[in-house]
Amino acid sequence: TPEYSDFFMKYYIHKVIWMVFYMILYLQYGRDVLKYFFLGLFCICVFHVGLVLYEYANIVFSGKIVDFSFLNKIFVQVEDKKYDVYNQGFIRPTGLTMDPNYATGYAGIAFLYAELLKSKYSKYKVLLSVFQYLCLFMTAILFSRTGLFSLMIVIFVSALFHIFILRNKYKTITPAICVFVIVLISVAISYISLFDEVLYEQIIQRLSMKDGSSNMRQDYIFTYLNESTTLETLFGNGTSSAGMVLTQILGMNTGKVWHPESSYISLLIEQGVVFLILFFLFLIRLFFKLLKKNQIYAYILLYINLIGLSYNFLGDRIYMFLLVTLTLYAFDPKSALNEK
């Protein structure tokens, strides 16, 4: 269609061509590119997490949504979506982002990177642990299932490596914090089930993955697999075509370019099952290469790809930056092995 023909070139200009720039950055500055990216993201997330908690507390205790209109004076335009904090029965402020899922997605990376900082700067260990508690608390109150489950899976995987593979080499990510949070969530849900039946039903409904967004993604997969030819299923329909294909199959008429809220649904439709299998094999290989050099980088790779199962709320550009630079780092013979 005309919309997608025009978008095809925009896609390469705004997304793919940047990959070359990421490669040049790494070739010029090496692993420092990753170091300063994560440090910058961590610093931003410290403010971001504090802002989300401030917004949440302001709504709970004063009943008012924080007004950001003063930012217009410094030419920062705040979209109306920022004030849509009552979402799916929960209070879900967004901090520096426009979506609570983005808010928790970035905080999850900062949480994992804080673990690396704790090993390097032991005198700040308490402060970094407090920040990790706040990240988990923020993720819990915003109830971002994908961010929460992805983080829990990463922590569980780190525990498995520690217990069953090499106890002295692989460390579990924040075991004390995780035990505390699991106990706290269990107690909170037990309390709510006894004294607030309506809220308990809302929580169970959300955890069941039977809401509109989850069902929609399942419909996309089953409808596409039923309607597509064998050749399309195996080899896809081409780059940036996911929205167009689903529009035709579902009989929609959006008149604009769109794509499903899942990186892997997009990859399935655009590149096919064969590519997905090859891509998963590559990610497994990359994960174990990173694990030998920097465990936290390996767990961040796992985290951002788990997020892609349900959402793409790290954004294509940031995801591609991390994928490109982590790949170059993993296969770079100059980067030291067994780096903390």
Side-chain angles (χ1 to χ4, degrees), residues 46-81:
V46 170
F47 177 72
H48 166 65
V49 170
L51 182 59
V52 170
L53 296 177
Y54 168 72
E55 287 183 81
Y56 191 89
N58 198 69
I59 294 167
V60 170
F61 295 112
S62 70
K64 297 179 180 179
I65 300 173
V66 178
D67 185 7
F68 292 95
S69 59
F70 68 92
L71 292 175
N72 293 334
K73 295 178 181 178
I74 56 173
F75 307 106
V76 176
Q77 184 67 37
V78 180
E79 294 182 19
D80 292 338
K81 187 180 178 182

Side-chain angles (χ1 to χ4, degrees), residues 147-301:
L148 188 62
F149 292 159
S150 297
L151 204 53
M152 292 298 104
I153 290 170
V154 170
I155 293 168
F156 178 70
V157 168
S158 74
L160 290 180
F161 274 97
H162 175 70
I163 295 169
F164 296 108
I165 300 182
L166 289 173
R167 181 179 294 271
N168 296 326
K169 186 175 180 181
Y170 299 117
K171 296 179 180 179
T172 304
I173 297 173
T174 59
I177 293 177
C178 295
V179 170
F180 172 80
V181 170
I182 290 171
V183 171
L184 186 65
I185 291 174
S186 301
V187 171
I189 291 178
S190 299
Y191 177 85
I192 291 169
S193 67
L194 291 173
F195 300 103
D196 194 334
E197 187 176 340
V198 175
L199 179 57
Y200 178 73
E201 289 297 327
Q202 287 179 323
I203 292 173
I204 296 301
Q205 175 71 16
R206 188 152 173 78
L207 288 174
S208 69
M209 301 291 188
K210 292 181 180 179
D211 64 352
S213 59
S214 297
N215 280 333
M216 190 180 299
R217 283 187 283 271
Q218 293 175 37
D219 288 342
Y220 288 161
I221 296 172
F222 293 123
T223 303
Y224 173 71
L225 292 177
N226 287 330
E227 297 291 333
S228 62
T229 65
T230 302
L231 199 62
E232 289 169 341
T233 302
L234 290 175
F235 300 106
N237 295 271
T239 302
S240 77
S241 66
M244 182 179 69
V245 171
L246 287 175
T247 297
Q248 293 171 346
I249 290 176
L250 299 173
M252 301 163 59
N253 186 21
T254 61
K256 60 182 180 181
V257 173
W258 69 283
H259 59 84
E261 289 182 316
S262 168
S263 300
Y264 292 103
I265 294 177
S266 294
L267 285 175
L268 170 66
I269 295 171
E270 295 176 7
Q271 313 301 340
V273 173
V274 172
F275 174 83
L276 266 181
I277 293 172
L278 293 174
F279 184 59
F280 284 141
L281 292 174
F282 166 74
L283 288 177
I284 292 169
R285 170 68 171 155
L286 179 58
F287 174 78
F288 282 101
K289 288 283 288 186
L290 284 171
L291 204 61
K292 294 178 181 179
K293 293 187 174 185
N294 190 310
Q295 293 173 40
I296 300 303
Y297 285 2
Y299 294 137
I300 288 174
L301 175 77

